Amino acid sequence: MPPSERPSDRRARIREGHHRAIIDAAASLLGAKGADGFTVEELARRAEVSRRTVFNHFGSVDDIVITVCTEVLGDLVETFESRPSAPAGTSDAGVFDELAEALRSTDLVAPIAYLTRVLGTSDNDSSQRRAVVLLRAFTEVSERIAAEMLRRHPEADELTTRLLVSSLIGGLVVLHTHWLAATGGSADTASRAVWDELLDQLIRQTRDGYASTASLGAHTS
């Protein structure tokens, strides 16, 4: 232990290392065997930790899988975070457009196709589990984007911002179902065209609904 490192810092560093090792091992096993293809014991061996350590960090295997899925979808958050902030005082509609453009400019087909494959498509149980895992993963992504949006626009109403973000990000889970039925989960040019069309429909319908609400508020204020 370095002379300047306190015992509490060392424990935190070890815990962080274990956490990262478990996630990395889970990602490797997911890619090789799918979500139902490995046990906690196998995960612990791959991560070089004990079974107890795995459950000290995560409540269940699904929690680990969701964390991996959230990281796979992290490009969406990074795309949004890397975009220039809209000017202070931007209207709600302008903030909506900021997020919509980030969705359009992020390649979501590749990570969603990967997640579809590793989460399974063979039976009803796999489909139900996939839907739950994707919903929870997208919910975490939504919360991160909402937090970033509020950081960029501290003057924005928190409830309105969170509703706006969740409407779009939550809609991606619905899009996935229609995209999978139309493409079989492939990640090629044709499936990207299907995704882009579905995404445009989501953005258009969400914007129209929001614009109607904003118009009603303007008339009643």
Side-chain angles (χ1 to χ4, degrees):
M1 179 173 62
S4 60
E5 186 177 35
R6 295 175 300 180
S8 59
D9 293 337
R10 181 173 180 271
R11 287 193 295 271
R13 178 170 54 82
I14 291 172
R15 180 175 176 79
E16 182 180 348
H18 286 165
H19 192 85
R20 185 71 257 167
I22 294 167
I23 294 172
D24 290 344
S28 177
L29 287 168
L30 275 171
K33 299 186 174 185
D36 298 320
F38 65 91
T39 63
V40 175
E41 288 74 16
E42 188 173 5
L43 173 61
R45 286 196 301 272
R46 179 72 65 95
E48 297 183 345
V49 299
S50 68
R51 175 189 172 93
R52 180 178 178 180
T53 297
V54 171
F55 286 114
N56 282 340
H57 286 263
F58 297 95
S60 67
V61 172
D62 273 358
D63 287 341
I64 304 170
V65 172
I66 289 163
T67 299
V68 174
C69 292
T70 303
E71 289 199 353
V72 170
L73 295 169
D75 281 350
L76 175 56
V77 180
E78 292 173 6
T79 297
F80 182 69
E81 291 175 341
S82 66
R83 297 181 65 83
S85 297
T90 298
S91 68
D92 290 336
V95 172
F96 179 96
D97 288 339
E98 183 181 347
L99 178 55
E101 183 55 35
L103 287 174
R104 286 193 172 106
S105 61
T106 304
D107 176 16
L108 287 172
V109 170
I112 288 176
Y114 165 79
L115 294 178
T116 300
R117 178 176 63 81
V118 301
L119 294 175
T121 60
S122 58
D123 52 43
N124 287 335
D125 289 341
S126 294
S127 297
Q128 291 173 0
R129 185 187 187 193
R130 183 182 65 248
V132 170
V133 168
L134 285 176
L135 178 59
R136 287 183 59 186
F138 273 114
T139 297
E140 290 196 20
V141 168
S142 176
E143 290 172 355
R144 290 174 61 187
I145 291 178
E148 172 64 14
M149 184 77 82
L150 289 167
R151 186 192 68 80
R152 288 166 172 250
H153 305 282
E155 76 287 351
D157 178 73
E158 180 176 354
L159 177 59
T160 299
T161 300
R162 292 190 180 280
L163 287 172
L164 183 156
V165 173
S166 64
S167 294
L168 282 175
I169 304 302
L172 298 179
V173 180
V174 180
L175 293 195
H176 171 266
T177 301
H178 290 268
W179 171 82
L180 178 60
T183 67
S186 60
D188 52 26
T189 301
S191 71
R192 281 181 167 83
V194 172
W195 179 264
D196 288 346
E197 183 178 346
L198 290 169
L199 180 60
D200 282 343
Q201 185 175 353
L202 169 65
I203 291 170
R204 183 171 61 253
Q205 292 185 345
T206 306
R207 178 190 287 116
D208 289 346
Y210 178 76
S212 298
T213 302
S215 176
L216 178 60
H219 289 310
T220 57
S221 59

